[in-house]
């Protein structure tokens, strides 16, 4: 799924980061954009785009599980 969203380059992990007590994976998309991914409970979340990594991390911290 991740490769379909951000390309094959996105499968190469650059680092991991703890955001709100959850471990997210950092990678770079085929377009050179910073990306954050996380898979939990069978669901994958991908945050990618031209926003600075700090803003992406802020968005990731604001996400809550679906009820």
């Amino acid at each position: 799924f991740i490769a379909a969203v951000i390309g094959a380059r996105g499968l190469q992990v650059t680092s991991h980061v703890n955001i709100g007590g959850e471990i997210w994976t950092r990678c770079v998309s085929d377009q050179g954009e910073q990306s954050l991914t996380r898979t939990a409970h069978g669901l994958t979340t991908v945050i990618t785009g031209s926003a600075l990594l700090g803003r992406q991390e802020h968005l990731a911290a604001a996400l809550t599980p679906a009820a």
Side-chain angles (χ1 to χ4, degrees):
F1 174 77
I2 293 171
V5 175
I6 59 177
R9 185 176 173 194
L11 297 176
Q12 298 175 5
V13 174
T14 58
S15 65
H16 293 92
V17 61
N18 185 318
I19 301 172
E22 305 294 342
I23 301 300
W24 287 75
T25 300
R26 286 185 180 157
C27 52
V28 179
S29 74
D30 281 353
Q31 289 76 33
E33 297 171 331
Q34 294 291 322
S35 304
L36 292 171
T37 66
R38 180 171 179 267
T39 300
H41 310 292
L43 300 174
T44 300
T45 303
V46 178
I47 300 173
T48 190
S50 60
L52 297 175
L53 193 55
R55 291 196 179 257
Q56 290 180 352
E57 291 176 359
H58 183 77
L59 173 61
L63 297 177
T64 58

